[in-house]
Protein backbone atom coordinates (compact mmCIF):
# COMPACT_ATOMS: atom_id res chain seq x y z
CA UNK A 1 0.00 0.00 0.00
CA UNK A 2 2.96 2.34 -0.31
CA UNK A 3 3.86 4.95 -2.81
CA UNK A 4 6.34 3.41 -5.27
CA UNK A 5 7.61 5.97 -7.72
CA UNK A 6 11.33 5.35 -7.22
CA UNK A 7 11.76 8.76 -5.65
CA UNK A 8 11.74 7.77 -2.01
CA UNK A 9 14.50 5.16 -2.46
CA UNK A 10 16.92 7.92 -3.46
CA UNK A 11 16.00 10.15 -0.54
CA UNK A 12 18.27 10.09 2.49
CA UNK A 13 16.41 8.95 5.57
CA UNK A 14 16.13 11.59 8.23
CA UNK A 15 15.07 15.20 8.17
CA UNK A 16 14.32 15.46 4.45
CA UNK A 17 12.28 12.26 4.48
CA UNK A 18 10.15 13.26 7.43
CA UNK A 19 9.43 16.60 5.76
CA UNK A 20 8.46 14.85 2.55
CA UNK A 21 6.39 12.40 4.59
CA UNK A 22 4.47 15.21 6.20
CA UNK A 23 3.88 16.95 2.89
CA UNK A 24 2.79 13.75 1.13
CA UNK A 25 0.52 12.85 4.04
CA UNK A 26 -1.04 16.30 4.02
CA UNK A 27 -1.68 16.11 0.30
CA UNK A 28 -2.97 12.56 0.34
CA UNK A 29 -5.38 13.09 3.17
CA UNK A 30 -6.83 16.21 1.55
CA UNK A 31 -7.44 14.61 -1.83
CA UNK A 32 -8.92 11.23 -1.05
CA UNK A 33 -11.16 10.09 -3.85
CA UNK A 34 -13.61 7.43 -2.82
CA UNK A 35 -14.74 4.66 -5.14
CA UNK A 36 -18.48 4.44 -5.59
CA UNK A 37 -19.22 1.22 -3.81
CA UNK A 38 -22.63 1.38 -2.23
CA UNK A 39 -24.05 -2.05 -1.52
CA UNK A 40 -27.09 -1.38 0.66
CA UNK A 41 -28.77 1.13 2.93
CA UNK A 42 -25.44 2.56 4.18
CA UNK A 43 -24.94 3.90 0.68
CA UNK A 44 -27.92 6.22 1.21
CA UNK A 45 -26.15 7.79 4.17
CA UNK A 46 -22.94 7.90 2.16
CA UNK A 47 -24.77 9.84 -0.55
CA UNK A 48 -26.20 12.16 2.09
CA UNK A 49 -22.66 12.79 3.34
CA UNK A 50 -21.66 13.76 -0.19
CA UNK A 51 -24.60 16.11 -0.64
CA UNK A 52 -24.97 19.75 0.36
CA UNK A 53 -25.81 19.49 4.04
CA UNK A 54 -22.76 17.46 5.08
CA UNK A 55 -20.66 18.23 2.03
CA UNK A 56 -17.66 15.91 1.81
CA UNK A 57 -16.19 18.43 -0.63
CA UNK A 58 -14.96 20.32 2.42
CA UNK A 59 -12.41 17.51 2.83
CA UNK A 60 -11.53 17.23 -0.86
CA UNK A 61 -13.66 14.10 -1.30
CA UNK A 62 -16.59 15.22 -3.41
CA UNK A 63 -15.64 13.12 -6.42
CA UNK A 64 -16.93 9.59 -6.01
CA UNK A 65 -15.13 7.85 -8.84
CA UNK A 66 -16.93 5.21 -10.83
CA UNK A 67 -13.60 3.68 -11.84
CA UNK A 68 -11.51 2.06 -9.11
CA UNK A 69 -8.38 3.06 -11.04
CA UNK A 70 -9.02 6.67 -10.12
CA UNK A 71 -9.99 6.05 -6.51
CA UNK A 72 -7.84 5.60 -3.44
CA UNK A 73 -10.49 5.04 -0.77
CA UNK A 74 -13.01 2.25 -0.89
CA UNK A 75 -16.00 2.90 1.35
CA UNK A 76 -17.62 -0.50 1.67
CA UNK A 77 -21.15 0.70 2.42
CA UNK A 78 -23.43 -2.22 3.11
CA UNK A 79 -23.60 -5.96 3.49
CA UNK A 80 -21.25 -7.98 1.29
CA UNK A 81 -22.77 -11.22 0.07
CA UNK A 82 -20.59 -14.18 -0.75
CA UNK A 83 -21.40 -13.59 -4.39
CA UNK A 84 -20.24 -9.97 -4.17
CA UNK A 85 -17.01 -10.86 -2.34
CA UNK A 86 -14.83 -11.64 -5.41
CA UNK A 87 -16.11 -8.48 -7.10
CA UNK A 88 -15.17 -6.43 -4.06
CA UNK A 89 -11.71 -7.96 -4.02
CA UNK A 90 -11.27 -7.25 -7.72
CA UNK A 91 -12.24 -3.63 -7.27
CA UNK A 92 -9.77 -3.38 -4.40
CA UNK A 93 -7.03 -4.93 -6.53
CA UNK A 94 -7.75 -2.51 -9.36
CA UNK A 95 -7.28 0.54 -7.16
CA UNK A 96 -3.95 2.35 -7.51
CA UNK A 97 -1.31 1.79 -4.85
CA UNK A 98 -1.76 4.10 -1.87
CA UNK A 99 -5.27 2.87 -1.07
CA UNK A 100 -7.43 2.58 2.01
CA UNK A 101 -10.58 0.74 2.96
CA UNK A 102 -13.31 2.12 5.19
CA UNK A 103 -15.74 -0.51 6.39
CA UNK A 104 -18.97 1.40 6.85
CA UNK A 105 -21.75 0.05 9.04
CA UNK A 106 -22.32 -3.09 11.06
CA UNK A 107 -22.83 -5.41 8.08
CA UNK A 108 -19.60 -4.54 6.29
CA UNK A 109 -17.60 -4.57 9.52
CA UNK A 110 -18.78 -7.87 10.95
CA UNK A 111 -21.88 -9.11 9.14
CA UNK A 112 -24.07 -7.26 11.62
CA UNK A 113 -27.39 -8.91 12.28
CA UNK A 114 -27.03 -11.06 9.16
CA UNK A 115 -25.18 -13.96 10.71
CA UNK A 116 -26.01 -16.40 7.94
CA UNK A 117 -24.55 -18.34 5.03
CA UNK A 118 -25.10 -15.60 2.46
CA UNK A 119 -23.24 -12.70 4.03
CA UNK A 120 -19.49 -12.30 4.50
CA UNK A 121 -18.91 -11.94 8.23
CA UNK A 122 -16.81 -8.81 8.01
CA UNK A 123 -15.21 -7.36 4.93
CA UNK A 124 -11.79 -7.81 6.58
CA UNK A 125 -12.02 -11.47 5.55
CA UNK A 126 -11.37 -10.28 1.98
CA UNK A 127 -9.54 -6.93 2.09
CA UNK A 128 -7.42 -5.18 4.73
CA UNK A 129 -9.61 -2.65 6.50
CA UNK A 130 -8.11 0.59 7.79
CA UNK A 131 -11.06 1.88 9.76
CA UNK A 132 -14.26 0.32 11.05
CA UNK A 133 -17.41 2.34 11.48
CA UNK A 134 -20.28 0.95 13.57
CA UNK A 135 -23.90 1.95 13.10
CA UNK A 136 -26.90 0.68 11.22
CA UNK A 137 -26.69 2.75 9.16
CA UNK A 138 -24.22 5.29 10.55
CA UNK A 139 -25.41 8.85 10.23
CA UNK A 140 -23.40 11.12 7.91
CA UNK A 141 -21.62 12.68 10.89
CA UNK A 142 -20.42 9.23 11.90
CA UNK A 143 -19.07 8.64 8.40
CA UNK A 144 -17.30 11.98 8.47
CA UNK A 145 -15.89 11.18 11.90
CA UNK A 146 -14.51 7.90 10.53
CA UNK A 147 -13.09 9.69 7.51
CA UNK A 148 -11.39 12.28 9.72
CA UNK A 149 -9.90 9.51 11.87
CA UNK A 150 -8.66 7.89 8.65
CA UNK A 151 -7.20 11.24 7.59
CA UNK A 152 -5.16 11.27 10.79
CA UNK A 153 -3.87 7.78 9.97
CA UNK A 154 -2.98 8.83 6.44
CA UNK A 155 -1.15 11.98 7.50
CA UNK A 156 1.02 9.89 9.82
CA UNK A 157 1.94 7.39 7.11
CA UNK A 158 5.62 6.76 6.48
CA UNK A 159 7.61 6.75 3.23
CA UNK A 160 10.74 5.08 1.86
CA UNK A 161 13.02 3.44 4.44
CA UNK A 162 10.63 4.23 7.29
CA UNK A 163 7.77 2.75 5.32
CA UNK A 164 9.64 -0.52 4.75
CA UNK A 165 10.34 -0.77 8.45
CA UNK A 166 6.67 -0.29 9.28
CA UNK A 167 5.55 -2.72 6.59
CA UNK A 168 7.91 -5.39 7.93
CA UNK A 169 6.60 -4.92 11.46
CA UNK A 170 3.01 -5.04 10.31
CA UNK A 171 3.64 -8.17 8.28
CA UNK A 172 5.34 -9.84 11.24
CA UNK A 173 2.39 -8.99 13.47
CA UNK A 174 -0.09 -10.13 10.83
CA UNK A 175 1.64 -13.49 10.45
CA UNK A 176 1.64 -13.98 14.20
CA UNK A 177 -2.00 -12.96 14.57
CA UNK A 178 -4.79 -15.49 14.68
CA UNK A 179 -6.69 -15.80 11.38
CA UNK A 180 -10.05 -14.03 11.43
CA UNK A 181 -12.00 -17.22 10.79
CA UNK A 182 -10.49 -18.83 13.90
CA UNK A 183 -11.48 -16.03 16.24
CA UNK A 184 -14.07 -16.97 18.84
CA UNK A 185 -16.70 -15.16 20.86
CA UNK A 186 -17.73 -11.64 19.98
CA UNK A 187 -14.75 -11.23 17.66
CA UNK A 188 -15.99 -13.86 15.21
CA UNK B 1 -40.47 10.07 -44.62
CA UNK B 2 -37.09 11.71 -44.05
CA UNK B 3 -36.84 15.41 -43.42
CA UNK B 4 -33.84 17.61 -43.99
CA UNK B 5 -32.71 20.47 -41.79
CA UNK B 6 -34.53 23.19 -43.71
CA UNK B 7 -37.84 21.40 -43.45
CA UNK B 8 -37.58 21.12 -39.68
CA UNK B 9 -39.90 23.31 -37.66
CA UNK B 10 -37.56 25.48 -35.58
CA UNK B 11 -40.25 26.47 -33.06
CA UNK B 12 -40.83 22.89 -32.08
CA UNK B 13 -38.06 22.27 -29.49
CA UNK B 14 -39.83 19.40 -27.78
CA UNK B 15 -39.85 16.13 -29.76
CA UNK B 16 -43.27 15.24 -31.05
CA UNK B 17 -45.04 12.24 -29.61
CA UNK B 18 -44.91 10.26 -32.80
CA UNK B 19 -41.12 10.46 -32.80
CA UNK B 20 -40.87 8.33 -29.68
CA UNK B 21 -41.70 4.78 -30.75
CA UNK B 22 -39.32 4.86 -33.74
CA UNK B 23 -36.57 2.36 -34.41
CA UNK B 24 -32.96 3.43 -33.78
CA UNK B 25 -32.21 3.81 -37.50
CA UNK B 26 -35.23 6.03 -38.02
CA UNK B 27 -34.42 8.13 -34.95
CA UNK B 28 -30.99 8.93 -36.36
CA UNK B 29 -32.53 10.30 -39.51
CA UNK B 30 -34.99 12.44 -37.54
CA UNK B 31 -34.34 15.80 -35.96
CA UNK B 32 -35.27 15.74 -32.31
CA UNK B 33 -34.36 19.32 -31.38
CA UNK B 34 -33.30 22.45 -33.11
CA UNK B 35 -29.54 22.77 -33.37
CA UNK B 36 -29.57 26.58 -33.45
CA UNK B 37 -28.69 28.36 -30.18
CA UNK B 38 -31.58 29.67 -28.08
CA UNK B 39 -32.08 33.43 -27.88
CA UNK B 40 -29.97 35.30 -25.31
CA UNK B 41 -32.90 36.01 -23.02
CA UNK B 42 -33.77 32.33 -22.81
CA UNK B 43 -30.16 31.49 -22.04
CA UNK B 44 -30.06 33.99 -19.19
CA UNK B 45 -33.37 32.68 -17.89
CA UNK B 46 -31.67 29.35 -17.35
CA UNK B 47 -29.40 30.94 -14.78
CA UNK B 48 -32.27 32.40 -12.75
CA UNK B 49 -32.39 29.46 -10.32
CA UNK B 50 -28.62 29.64 -9.89
CA UNK B 51 -28.83 33.37 -9.27
CA UNK B 52 -31.62 33.03 -6.70
CA UNK B 53 -29.67 30.46 -4.69
CA UNK B 54 -26.91 33.00 -4.08
CA UNK B 55 -29.15 34.71 -1.54
CA UNK B 56 -30.20 31.54 0.28
CA UNK B 57 -28.87 30.63 3.70
CA UNK B 58 -25.99 28.13 3.59
CA UNK B 59 -27.27 24.66 4.33
CA UNK B 60 -23.97 22.98 5.16
CA UNK B 61 -23.24 21.96 8.76
CA UNK B 62 -19.56 22.54 9.55
CA UNK B 63 -19.41 19.14 11.21
CA UNK B 64 -16.15 18.62 13.09
CA UNK B 65 -16.18 22.21 14.35
CA UNK B 66 -19.93 22.67 14.83
CA UNK B 67 -21.78 19.61 16.06
CA UNK B 68 -25.52 19.76 15.56
CA UNK B 69 -27.26 18.15 18.52
CA UNK B 70 -28.93 14.86 17.69
CA UNK B 71 -32.61 14.15 18.27
CA UNK B 72 -33.13 13.76 22.04
CA UNK B 73 -33.94 10.07 21.70
CA UNK B 74 -31.16 9.34 19.20
CA UNK B 75 -29.86 5.78 19.51
CA UNK B 76 -26.20 6.14 20.30
CA UNK B 77 -23.68 4.32 22.46
CA UNK B 78 -25.17 2.39 25.40
CA UNK B 79 -24.74 3.28 29.04
CA UNK B 80 -25.05 1.14 32.17
CA UNK B 81 -26.68 3.32 34.80
CA UNK B 82 -26.21 3.47 38.55
CA UNK B 83 -28.44 3.91 41.56
CA UNK B 84 -27.99 7.22 43.45
CA UNK B 85 -25.64 5.57 45.97
CA UNK B 86 -23.33 4.23 43.26
CA UNK B 87 -24.57 0.64 43.03
CA UNK B 88 -25.03 -0.64 39.50
CA UNK B 89 -28.54 -1.15 38.20
CA UNK B 90 -27.55 -4.15 36.07
CA UNK B 91 -28.52 -7.43 37.71
CA UNK B 92 -26.96 -9.70 35.07
CA UNK B 93 -30.29 -11.19 33.92
CA UNK B 94 -29.17 -11.39 30.26
CA UNK B 95 -32.55 -10.24 28.98
CA UNK B 96 -30.77 -7.66 26.81
CA UNK B 97 -28.59 -10.36 25.31
CA UNK B 98 -31.65 -12.49 24.57
CA UNK B 99 -33.50 -9.58 23.01
CA UNK B 100 -30.59 -8.59 20.79
CA UNK B 101 -31.36 -9.49 17.16
CA UNK B 102 -27.72 -9.26 16.18
CA UNK B 103 -26.24 -11.21 19.13
CA UNK B 104 -24.07 -8.23 19.96
CA UNK B 105 -24.39 -8.41 23.75
CA UNK B 106 -22.60 -10.84 26.02
CA UNK B 107 -23.47 -10.90 29.74
CA UNK B 108 -22.16 -13.07 32.53
CA UNK B 109 -23.87 -12.70 35.88
CA UNK B 110 -22.43 -13.49 39.30
CA UNK B 111 -23.67 -13.58 42.90
CA UNK B 112 -23.21 -10.54 45.12
CA UNK B 113 -21.16 -11.32 48.22
CA UNK B 114 -22.70 -10.15 51.52
CA UNK B 115 -21.78 -6.50 52.19
CA UNK B 116 -19.79 -6.39 48.95
CA UNK B 117 -22.62 -5.56 46.60
CA UNK B 118 -22.16 -4.37 43.06
CA UNK B 119 -25.93 -4.11 42.64
CA UNK B 120 -28.84 -4.30 45.08
CA UNK B 121 -30.21 -7.82 45.38
CA UNK B 122 -28.74 -11.22 44.62
CA UNK B 123 -26.96 -10.89 41.31
CA UNK B 124 -24.90 -8.43 39.31
CA UNK B 125 -23.47 -8.33 35.81
CA UNK B 126 -19.88 -9.49 36.14
CA UNK B 127 -18.95 -9.42 32.46
CA UNK B 128 -20.81 -7.07 30.17
CA UNK B 129 -19.70 -6.67 26.58
CA UNK B 130 -21.32 -5.02 23.59
CA UNK B 131 -19.86 -5.62 20.16
CA UNK B 132 -20.46 -2.36 18.34
CA UNK B 133 -19.60 -3.92 15.01
CA UNK B 134 -22.66 -6.17 15.38
CA UNK B 135 -24.94 -3.73 17.17
CA UNK B 136 -27.63 -2.23 14.96
CA UNK B 137 -28.75 0.35 17.56
CA UNK B 138 -32.35 -0.87 17.46
CA UNK B 139 -32.94 -0.35 21.18
CA UNK B 140 -34.58 -3.73 21.83
CA UNK B 141 -32.09 -4.28 24.66
CA UNK B 142 -33.26 -1.06 26.29
CA UNK B 143 -36.87 -2.20 26.03
CA UNK B 144 -35.97 -5.55 27.52
CA UNK B 145 -34.05 -4.23 30.52
CA UNK B 146 -36.20 -4.73 33.65
CA UNK B 147 -34.26 -2.31 35.87
CA UNK B 148 -33.58 0.54 33.36
CA UNK B 149 -29.91 -0.30 33.79
CA UNK B 150 -29.25 -0.10 30.07
CA UNK B 151 -30.05 3.10 28.22
CA UNK B 152 -28.62 4.83 25.18
CA UNK B 153 -26.65 8.05 25.03
CA UNK B 154 -26.46 10.49 22.15
CA UNK B 155 -22.79 9.77 21.58
CA UNK B 156 -22.10 8.52 18.08
CA UNK B 157 -18.41 9.00 17.30
CA UNK B 158 -17.38 5.38 17.58
CA UNK B 159 -15.15 4.61 14.59
CA UNK B 160 -11.88 2.81 15.30
CA UNK B 161 -9.15 1.01 13.42
CA UNK B 162 -9.35 -2.44 15.04
CA UNK B 163 -12.20 -4.86 15.54
CA UNK B 164 -11.14 -5.64 19.08
CA UNK B 165 -11.34 -2.01 20.16
CA UNK B 166 -15.01 -1.88 19.21
CA UNK B 167 -16.03 -4.51 21.73
CA UNK B 168 -16.89 -2.30 24.69
CA UNK B 169 -16.35 -3.81 28.14
CA UNK B 170 -18.34 -3.02 31.26
CA UNK B 171 -15.88 -0.28 32.28
CA UNK B 172 -16.39 1.50 28.95
CA UNK B 173 -20.17 1.38 29.24
CA UNK B 174 -20.71 2.17 32.92
CA UNK B 175 -21.96 5.63 33.79
CA UNK B 176 -19.30 7.69 35.60
CA UNK B 177 -19.48 7.99 39.38
CA UNK B 178 -21.21 11.25 40.13
CA UNK B 179 -20.84 13.39 43.20
CA UNK B 180 -22.23 11.68 46.28
CA UNK B 181 -21.85 8.16 44.86
CA UNK B 182 -19.73 5.44 46.41
CA UNK B 183 -17.62 3.20 44.21
CA UNK B 184 -18.86 -0.41 44.40
CA UNK B 185 -18.44 -2.99 45.85
CA UNK B 186 -19.99 -1.72 49.07
CA UNK B 187 -22.93 -2.71 51.30
CA UNK B 188 -26.50 -1.72 50.45
CA UNK B 189 -28.14 1.25 52.14
CA UNK B 190 -28.85 0.21 55.76
CA UNK B 191 -32.22 -1.48 56.43
CA UNK B 192 -33.25 -1.64 52.75
CA UNK B 193 -33.93 -4.40 50.26
CA UNK B 194 -33.56 -4.28 46.51
CA UNK B 195 -37.26 -3.35 46.30
CA UNK B 196 -36.57 -0.03 48.02
CA UNK B 197 -33.98 0.67 45.34
CA UNK B 198 -36.38 -0.09 42.50
CA UNK B 199 -39.08 2.14 44.06
CA UNK B 200 -36.57 5.01 44.06
CA UNK B 201 -36.54 5.29 47.85
CA UNK B 202 -32.75 5.33 48.07
CA UNK B 203 -31.80 8.84 46.99
CA UNK B 204 -28.24 9.17 48.30
CA UNK B 205 -25.40 7.21 49.83
CA UNK B 206 -25.23 6.49 53.57
CA UNK B 207 -21.96 7.19 55.43
CA UNK B 208 -21.77 3.50 56.39
CA UNK B 209 -21.53 2.51 52.74
CA UNK B 210 -18.05 3.95 52.24
CA UNK B 211 -16.24 7.11 51.19
CA UNK B 212 -18.22 9.32 48.88
CA UNK B 213 -16.92 10.39 45.47
CA UNK B 214 -16.29 14.14 45.33
CA UNK B 215 -14.96 15.00 41.91
Amino acid sequence: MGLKVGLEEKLPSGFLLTTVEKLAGYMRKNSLWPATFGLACCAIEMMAAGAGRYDLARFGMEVFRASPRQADLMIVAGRVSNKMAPVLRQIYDQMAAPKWVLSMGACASSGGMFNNYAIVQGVDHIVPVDIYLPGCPPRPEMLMDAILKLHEQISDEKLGANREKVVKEVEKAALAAKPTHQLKGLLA
Amino acid sequence: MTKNFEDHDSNNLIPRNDEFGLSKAEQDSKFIADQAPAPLLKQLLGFWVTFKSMFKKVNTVQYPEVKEPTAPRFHGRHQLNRHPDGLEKCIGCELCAWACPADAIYVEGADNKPNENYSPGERYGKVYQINYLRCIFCGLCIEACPTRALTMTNEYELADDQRGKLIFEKEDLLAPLRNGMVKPPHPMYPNTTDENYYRGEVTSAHPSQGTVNND
Side-chain angles (χ1 to χ4, degrees):
Chain A
M1 280 201 287
L3 178 77
K4 281 276 170 217
V5 288
L7 171 72
E8 64 265 23
E9 278 89 3
K10 290 177 188 101
L11 291 170
S13 53
F15 175 73
L16 178 61
L17 190 50
T18 47
T19 319
V20 173
E21 263 170 13
K22 269 181 198 160
L23 184 71
Y26 178 78
M27 286 172 166
R28 278 175 180 174
K29 82 165 185 177
N30 283 312
S31 63
L32 267 187
W33 285 7
T36 315
F37 204 63
L39 293 166
C41 26
C42 280
I44 306 292
E45 298 292 305
M46 185 168 77
M47 285 187 272
R53 183 165 168 82
Y54 298 101
D55 203 9
L56 275 180
R58 292 182 289 140
F59 312 111
M61 297 182 63
E62 71 275 30
V63 271
F64 278 84
R65 301 316 291 194
S67 161
R69 311 232 182 248
Q70 299 166 354
D72 38 22
L73 169 67
M74 185 161 73
I75 304 179
V76 186
R79 64 205 128 76
V80 183
S81 61
N82 279 332
K83 205 168 182 178
M84 197 64 187
V87 182
L88 185 134
R89 179 70 213 195
Q90 192 184 7
I91 287 178
Y92 176 78
D93 287 339
Q94 283 173 341
M95 279 160 61
K99 54 187 169 184
W100 297 272
V101 179
L102 193 155
S103 160
M104 179 183 180
C107 301
S109 305
S110 73
M113 67 183 296
F114 302 110
N115 195 351
N116 58 35
Y117 62 85
I119 303 294
V120 175
Q121 297 299 302
V123 81
D124 50 2
H125 288 255
I126 326 167
V127 291
V129 174
D130 293 282
I131 196 139
Y132 298 90
L133 172 60
C136 186
R139 54 194 279 135
E141 279 108 331
M142 290 168 88
L143 177 61
M144 282 197 287
D145 172 56
I147 285 168
L148 290 173
K149 279 172 181 165
L150 183 66
H151 279 180
E152 270 170 45
Q153 270 187 42
I154 293 169
S155 61
D156 291 341
E157 223 156 83
K158 303 271 181 278
L159 287 180
N162 299 354
R163 167 103 214 150
E164 277 162 29
K165 220 187 280 170
V166 174
V167 167
K168 263 179 200 159
E169 276 169 27
V170 169
E171 199 172 338
K172 219 175 170 185
L175 284 172
K178 216 173 184 184
T180 318
H181 67 277
Q182 281 179 14
L183 290 171
K184 293 276 181 284
L186 283 181
L187 267 173
Chain B
M1 51 169 284
T2 48
K3 279 183 182 177
N4 58 31
F5 188 74
E6 285 77 31
D7 287 342
H8 190 74
D9 181 11
S10 63
N11 291 326
N12 193 5
L13 288 171
I14 303 163
R16 292 190 311 277
N17 272 336
D18 60 333
E19 280 177 339
F20 282 111
L22 296 178
S23 68
K24 187 78 184 77
E26 280 177 311
Q27 272 177 17
D28 289 343
S29 62
K30 279 247 170 195
F31 285 105
I32 294 197
D34 199 349
Q35 301 289 313
L40 187 67
L41 195 70
K42 270 192 177 175
Q43 285 189 25
L44 284 177
L45 208 63
F47 284 106
W48 177 241
V49 176
T50 319
F51 181 75
K52 267 196 303 186
S53 67
M54 290 200 323
F55 304 102
K56 276 188 185 163
K57 213 180 144 209
V58 178
N59 190 30
T60 309
V61 181
Q62 302 292 326
Y63 162 66
E65 292 86 26
V66 183
K67 286 177 189 171
E68 284 256 299
T70 59
R73 296 199 174 187
F74 175 74
H75 286 191
R77 185 181 65 82
H78 297 77
Q79 178 171 289
L80 284 170
N81 298 312
R82 292 174 189 273
H83 286 291
D85 66 344
L87 286 179
E88 294 155 13
K89 284 188 177 176
C90 178
I91 53 172
C93 66
E94 298 185 21
L95 280 178
C96 45
W98 280 88
C100 183
D103 280 347
I105 308 183
Y106 178 77
V107 189
E108 234 176 68
D111 286 334
N112 275 320
K113 287 184 200 126
N115 290 329
E116 277 182 33
N117 287 46
Y118 284 92
S119 71
E122 279 175 43
R123 305 262 290 166
Y124 73 101
K126 192 181 179 193
V127 179
Y128 199 100
Q129 295 177 336
I130 296 181
N131 184 354
Y132 277 102
L133 292 182
R134 287 262 178 212
C135 177
I136 57 167
F137 299 88
C138 59
L140 289 181
C141 44
I142 277 78
E143 282 184 41
C145 185
T147 61
R148 295 292 271 153
L150 196 64
T151 51
M152 277 170 150
T153 62
N154 289 350
E155 192 190 322
Y156 54 79
E157 287 165 340
L158 296 165
D160 221 321
D161 59 344
Q162 278 171 38
R163 276 181 104 156
K165 286 185 195 167
L166 280 157
I167 296 176
F168 280 46
E169 298 281 341
K170 195 178 166 188
E171 299 81 65
D172 308 318
L173 297 167
L174 258 175
L177 276 176
R178 278 205 230 107
N179 270 346
M181 286 180 172
V182 182
K183 190 178 169 12
H186 60 73
M188 282 164 67
Y189 200 86
N191 307 319
T192 56
T193 63
D194 47 340
E195 280 181 31
N196 297 103
Y197 276 87
Y198 300 142
R199 288 200 198 103
E201 286 161 11
V202 176
T203 49
S204 62
H206 192 266
S208 70
Q209 289 181 299
T211 44
V212 162
N213 182 49
N214 276 323
D215 285 340

